[in-house]
Amino acid sequence: MAQWTSAIGPAQLALQLKAQQPRPAGAGVRKPPAYRALADGIRLLVLEGRVPAAARLPAERELAVALSVSRTTVAAAYEALRGEGFLESRRGAGSWTAVPAGHPLPGRGLEPLPPEQLGSMIDLGCAALPAPEPWLTRGVQGALEELPPYAHTHGDYPAGLPALRQMLAERYTARGIPTMPEQIMVTTGAMGAMDAICHLFAGRGERIAVESPSYANILQLMREAGARLVPIAMAEGLTGWDLPRWRQVLRDAAPRLAYVVADFHNPTGALADEDQRRQLVDAARSAGTVLVVDETMSELWLDEDLDMPRPVCAFDPAGATVLTVGSASKAFWAGMRIGWVRAAPDVIRSLVAARAYADLGTPVLEQLAVNWLMATGGWEQAVELRRVQARENRDALVAAVRRELPDWEFHVPRGGLTLWVRTGGLSGSRLAEVGERVGVRVPSGPRFGVDGAFEGYVRLPFTVGGPVAEEAAARLAAAARLVETGGGSGGAEPPRTFVA
């Protein structure tokens, strides 16, 4: 019986490998043999989870044709990978990827670093800050006081607690978007909301238009659902969305769904202006595409003089085109797994009905805590504390990266939690791999793209500040030197424990 559980075709693998092409080696740096470069490329894809473990690789002849190299080169690369434990083979069953003993199984999204590793590793993989105390504790205490009446019920509220649905509807109405509780479904985080929407609107094989780059975990969720992703390139810098391109793709590809992050886009930090929002809605309506708008960053403006544009759903008064997703995870705390969907009442009813076959509902205690915070003003005070933390971290990280890595390029966003950085021609995948060995964890650009795009980028979140930000930039600079000089394929000095 074959040991592989999935397969990757020669064209797809070749596309991801070609996107990894490193910049030309400097004087005195020996270029690795072709088979070694190929083996390193496949190993990187496995370590990053972009080619999963137990994935059947193409036959040697097929991959050689796709890459325009000799079969001998592919055979030598496969043999090197087998020797390192990254490939297993059996006559008649082919060759499939593996993870050597002692290596953690790579995830395909952006999983938080286990707490026990935080002593020696600076984690820039997860764009989430610690809880804004004392507001987490106060919210939970308030929830416990309000829990007894709910404890006498079955506890299942597929649409969410009525009190929280009412509260969220009132908050949209206060933003100038008249909303009824019947237009709200509470979910288990924004990921729960997106999962429900994808299953309702985009069955296996359906097209979904996405920004390129876009949020890695959502892209992977869509892939796992069997969607066909249609990437639409972001405009250069923080200028946001190329609307003529959006109109063309929506018209020609006719995707069932389109997913956008209009407020401090993840990962670029771009903020769509009102004209872009209006045009996005018009383009989706004309194409018959449902526009899913991720608002999880909408409250995280960091510059005091910034006037926030109206929500995207303000340009869809009939409510037939736009679905809005919100969450407590970014604005408050990632451990508070509360999200929500705002949509037309008939869409909400369909989402709630489908939920009977998923998670049935969202934890009551956490819903009560969010409702207590929003009802008492604690939410606004907690979010303001979050903005102060993120602003200080952003400024510290920007200064440290500019000092340690002057060749790296980026635009400083006015809000959100992420910095999208062009790495001076270095491979983001190799930086991510070497970074883990020198004590800094950073996600590479291809995690945020489709089919290997953005190899020359990394994403840096505003989750560390002060001396930790300076140390993170220093470790990134050390990783960059190793990659640039070809020293990233061997061992590296183990990271020293860093205590801030």
Side-chain angles (χ1 to χ4, degrees):
M1 187 173 121
Q3 302 298 306
W4 49 273
T5 57
S6 62
I8 182 169
Q12 182 183 3
L13 182 57
L15 186 63
Q16 295 197 51
L17 288 166
K18 288 176 180 177
Q20 289 184 341
Q21 293 296 325
R23 69 181 180 183
V29 178
R30 180 186 298 178
K31 184 178 179 180
Y35 85 89
R36 182 69 260 172
L38 175 56
D40 287 347
I42 294 174
R43 178 172 54 84
L44 277 172
L45 292 174
V46 173
L47 287 172
E48 283 213 316
R50 290 189 284 129
V51 169
R56 187 177 187 273
L57 294 185
E60 294 171 2
R61 189 186 304 277
E62 294 175 341
L63 186 57
V65 171
L67 291 172
S68 298
V69 300
S70 71
R71 183 178 177 181
T72 303
T73 297
V74 178
Y78 278 14
E79 184 60 33
L81 289 168
R82 276 190 287 269
E84 296 163 4
F86 285 94
L87 195 69
E88 296 180 8
S89 303
R90 195 173 67 195
R91 186 179 298 276
S95 299
W96 56 92
T97 56
V99 178
H103 281 256
L105 189 67
R108 303 197 71 186
L110 300 178
E111 295 80 8
L113 190 70
E116 62 270 16
Q117 296 184 29
L118 291 175
S120 60
M121 185 75 70
I122 298 176
D123 186 10
L124 298 181
C126 187
L129 288 161
E133 289 288 26
W135 298 108
L136 173 61
T137 298
R138 291 181 183 178
V140 173
Q141 290 171 340
L144 287 171
E145 293 175 0
E146 297 177 2
L147 180 62
Y150 296 93
H152 294 291
T153 74
H154 49 63
D156 287 335
Y157 296 88
L161 291 185
L164 182 55
R165 296 176 75 197
Q166 178 70 42
M167 176 63 65
L168 292 168
E170 290 175 359
R171 290 174 69 86
Y172 276 107
T173 300
R175 295 168 66 190
I177 318 296
T179 302
M180 303 178 295
E182 293 78 10
Q183 291 177 263
I184 301 292
M185 181 177 85
V186 181
T187 62
T188 308
M191 292 292 288
M194 286 302 305
D195 183 63
I197 290 168
C198 287
H199 278 88
L200 181 62
F201 285 95
R204 186 163 295 275
E206 291 277 5
R207 295 184 180 92
I208 302 179
V210 295
E211 300 145 325
S212 184
S214 187
Y215 178 36
N217 287 341
I218 294 294
L219 294 180
Q220 190 57 34
L221 182 153
M222 293 173 177
R223 293 187 188 103
E224 298 285 350
R228 298 164 59 190
L229 302 185
V230 182
I232 305 177
M234 297 284 288
E236 189 65 26
L238 297 179
T239 53
W241 291 257
D242 183 341
L243 271 305
R245 180 64 176 158
W246 270 91
R247 287 189 179 278
Q248 178 187 347
V249 171
L250 294 185
R251 181 182 64 247
D252 295 347
R256 186 71 180 92
L257 284 180
Y259 169 77
V260 298
V261 186
D263 299 288
F264 310 119
H265 174 259
N266 188 354
T268 69
L271 175 66
D273 60 32
E274 291 212 354
D275 185 57
Q276 288 174 323
R277 294 167 189 244
R278 182 182 294 107
Q279 290 191 55
L280 275 172
V281 175
D282 289 345
R285 184 184 296 118
S286 297
T289 298
V290 176
L291 183 63
V292 184
V293 180
D294 186 333
E295 282 194 339
T296 54
M297 298 280 194
S298 64
E299 296 187 72
L300 292 177
W301 64 86
L302 304 183
D303 292 346
E304 298 288 355
D305 60 343
L306 179 61
D307 291 326
M308 286 294 292
R310 287 177 291 170
V312 176
C313 57
F315 304 98
D316 180 38
T321 299
V322 176
L323 307 183
T324 302
V325 172
S327 172
S329 296
K330 299 300 185 184
F332 188 77
W333 184 47
M336 186 69 76
R337 303 305 304 156
I338 299 295
W340 53 87
V341 181
R342 180 199 180 274
D346 62 319
V347 173
I348 294 297
R349 286 193 294 270
S350 296
L351 288 169
V352 172
R355 197 170 193 182
Y357 308 101
D359 63 355
L360 293 178
T362 302
V364 170
L365 189 63
E366 293 182 24
Q367 292 186 73
L368 288 172
V370 171
N371 187 66
W372 184 92
L373 288 163
M374 290 179 171
T376 61
W379 179 270
E380 281 69 26
Q381 294 183 62
V383 172
E384 179 55 35
L385 176 59
R386 172 68 75 240
R387 292 192 196 105
V388 171
Q389 291 173 321
R391 183 185 307 119
E392 292 176 350
N393 289 354
R394 177 195 65 179
D395 296 346
L397 186 65
V398 164
V401 173
R402 281 177 171 163
R403 180 178 62 254
E404 297 285 345
L405 294 149
D407 292 338
W408 288 18
E409 303 172 41
F410 52 84
H411 298 268
V412 181
R414 306 194 69 185
L417 289 172
T418 57
L419 193 68
W420 186 237
V421 182
R422 194 193 306 267
T423 56
L426 298 178
S427 162
S429 296
R430 297 178 192 278
L431 282 166
E433 183 202 13
V434 177
E436 293 237 10
R437 289 193 268 122
V438 299
V440 60
R441 182 172 182 259
V442 58
S444 66
R447 286 184 175 271
F448 303 88
V450 177
D451 292 331
F454 308 108
E455 184 60 54
Y457 289 83
V458 294
R459 190 196 72 173
L460 306 180
F462 309 144
T463 52
V464 296
V468 186
E470 294 175 5
E471 178 69 12
R475 293 184 184 186
L476 283 172
R481 287 191 294 271
L482 284 170
V483 172
E484 191 166 18
T485 59
S489 58
E493 181 181 342
R496 62 184 183 274
T497 300
F498 185 79
V499 180

